[in-house]
Amino acid sequence: MRAVLVLLHRWFGLGVAVFLFIAGATGAIISWDHELDAWLNPALFHAHSAAPGSTATGQPKNGLELANLVEAQEPKMRVTYVLTEEEPGHASQMMVEPRIDPATKAPYVLDYNQIAVDPVTAQIQGRRMWGTISLSRENLLPFLYKLHYTMHLPDVGGIELGIWLMGIIGIVWMLDCFIALWLSFPNWKSWRKSFAFRWRDGGHKLNFDLHRSGAVWVWVLLLVLAVTSVSMNLNNQVMQPIIKVFSSVTPTAFDTRTPVAPDKVPEPAMSREQVVQLARIEADKLGLTDPAGGIFYSGMFGLYGVGFFQPGNDHGDVGLGNAWLYFDATTGAPSGNRIPGTGTAGDLFIQAQFPLHSGRILGLPGRIMISFMGALVAMLSVTGVIIWLRKRQARVRHKIKSRELAMAKMQEDMLSPSAQPSTQHSRPSAQN
């Protein structure tokens, strides 16, 4: 049994090592993606009007007004996400998409999907294509973020290959967590060895301990990362069918609708202002106390979503995240909600997946912990490959030595007296 598990652990580990190294290393960085992005790209995050020496005058405009103004400036684009209020001195971050060109009946071509707008002047002060494959300063953090969960693999035939790949990697990783735990404790008499690090010995012994004991100490956290990886990449395909065996799951606003093609996305009949007003009324009924902090439009699903949070907390920095209410973009009718901490046991489990994976469920300490775990996952991948290489080299040396010994034995047998032909029988008779 143990021999089979060792073989499975070896090939599971080698099969996912490169992907987990990349996911771990990028995960350690993107725990701080917003802070690092703002540091690298001040033009996208800090309002020009708030910079020292700026001559801009006036009061900052709210996000809804700014969205209308930039759409008037750039009629080929539609704002799909905007915060109603920004922190003082910050540029307004907006996600955008192309509108339909009446002449071609196809979406306009835009080389950006994110803009930064000065809240005082309403001027677009920065643009970028979020998630493009680029290591430029402005694209580095989005590139790493998307690399983390898709490896930037393209979609083929409507199938998100990167999402599927990393979901399958998560499944293999989850199974290997249990195999590795079993192998780490060959017997209970020497269980302390599985927690020890031979720092003074260094070399191969320390590398082995870093791989085995390093994983044992944080095994539960590794399992949480593996499970949440599966949940976020293959939620509908894998996780929800399993959850529904134990609990019901409330369909989301998106589950009950069929998306349309990008070139069929209509103009919304309801304005952002109208939807925010409807959302505030609905929020009062539900007892939500935070303000309407952001709004998005999903034309493919014909939905608006309004999030409730304080300015600066749009990422849901603690707990299970922010509350969201959804509305039909044509009629304004309520179309569902996501209120953290409410719903069935299955709903609560799904709500917890991203906060657990990102560490945000515990706030700043959780993000620090996840950053450490990302580096640890990368380290476990490297040490595992080193262990395999060392054992493989040992096996190769053993085979070479065995072959050399066999050849030497064969030569010895050929040169031994007993192996030589008898001269009495092989020499011709003199009488003949």
Side-chain angles (χ1 to χ4, degrees), residues 109-378:
V109 177
L110 298 180
D111 60 357
Y112 59 92
N113 59 12
Q114 185 179 27
I115 60 175
V117 181
D118 189 294
V120 174
T121 66
Q123 296 301 307
I124 299 174
Q125 63 178 50
R127 310 168 193 253
R128 71 178 173 189
M129 181 65 75
W130 193 99
T132 190
I133 300 177
S134 170
L135 295 178
S136 66
R137 187 186 187 95
E138 66 179 13
N139 293 315
L140 179 59
L141 265 300
F143 166 79
L144 294 177
Y145 196 100
K146 193 172 180 180
L147 179 68
H148 178 73
Y149 68 95
T150 70
M151 296 291 134
H152 283 285
L153 293 179
D155 297 349
V156 177
I159 299 175
E160 298 174 310
L161 291 183
I163 297 290
W164 272 94
L165 172 66
M166 296 309 290
I168 293 171
I169 294 296
I171 293 173
V172 174
W173 185 17
M174 181 177 62
L175 295 174
D176 197 42
C177 279
F178 292 99
I179 295 173
L181 185 67
W182 179 273
L183 295 176
S184 295
F185 295 94
N187 61 75
W188 292 108
K189 293 181 179 179
S190 57
W191 63 270
R192 288 185 177 84
K193 293 181 179 179
S194 297
F195 290 92
F197 296 93
R198 289 168 285 186
W199 299 107
R200 295 182 178 179
D201 292 341
H204 297 307
K205 291 182 179 179
L206 179 57
N207 182 81
F208 179 81
D209 290 344
L210 288 172
H211 186 75
R212 179 190 64 181
S213 304
V216 168
W217 275 102
V218 296
W219 184 85
V220 172
L221 295 177
L222 291 173
L223 182 63
V224 167
L225 288 176
V227 171
T228 53
S229 297
V230 179
S231 296
M232 290 189 295
N233 281 53
L234 299 177
N235 179 51
N236 293 330
Q237 299 88 343
V238 175
M239 195 55 66
Q240 284 212 31
I242 295 175
I243 295 171
K244 288 177 181 178
V245 174
F246 306 97
S247 170
S248 61
V249 175
T250 305
T252 69
F254 298 92
D255 292 335
T256 58
R257 293 172 177 255
T258 302
V260 300
D263 60 347
K264 303 296 183 182
V265 171
E267 290 293 326
M270 304 289 293
S271 69
R272 283 179 287 263
E273 289 81 2
Q274 289 174 315
V275 172
V276 168
Q277 185 59 38
L278 291 172
R280 285 174 177 145
I281 296 172
E282 191 70 17
D284 289 340
K285 295 178 184 178
L286 296 171
L288 301 179
T289 56
D290 285 328
I295 179 171
F296 76 80
Y297 170 64
S298 174
M300 293 179 66
F301 287 89
L303 282 173
Y304 274 110
V306 180
F308 289 80
F309 44 82
Q310 297 293 332
N313 191 37
D314 49 304
H315 309 301
D317 290 336
V318 68
L320 294 177
N322 299 322
W324 285 87
L325 306 183
Y326 304 100
F327 299 86
D328 187 280
T330 301
T331 66
S335 300
N337 60 61
R338 180 192 181 281
I339 302 177
T342 66
T344 66
D347 294 337
L348 295 176
F349 180 86
I350 292 173
Q351 291 172 19
Q353 297 309 289
F354 176 75
L356 283 170
H357 192 80
S358 64
R360 292 181 180 273
I361 196 168
L362 298 178
L364 180 60
R367 294 172 66 192
I368 295 172
M369 177 184 67
I370 290 300
S371 189
F372 167 78
M373 288 299 300
L376 183 68
V377 169

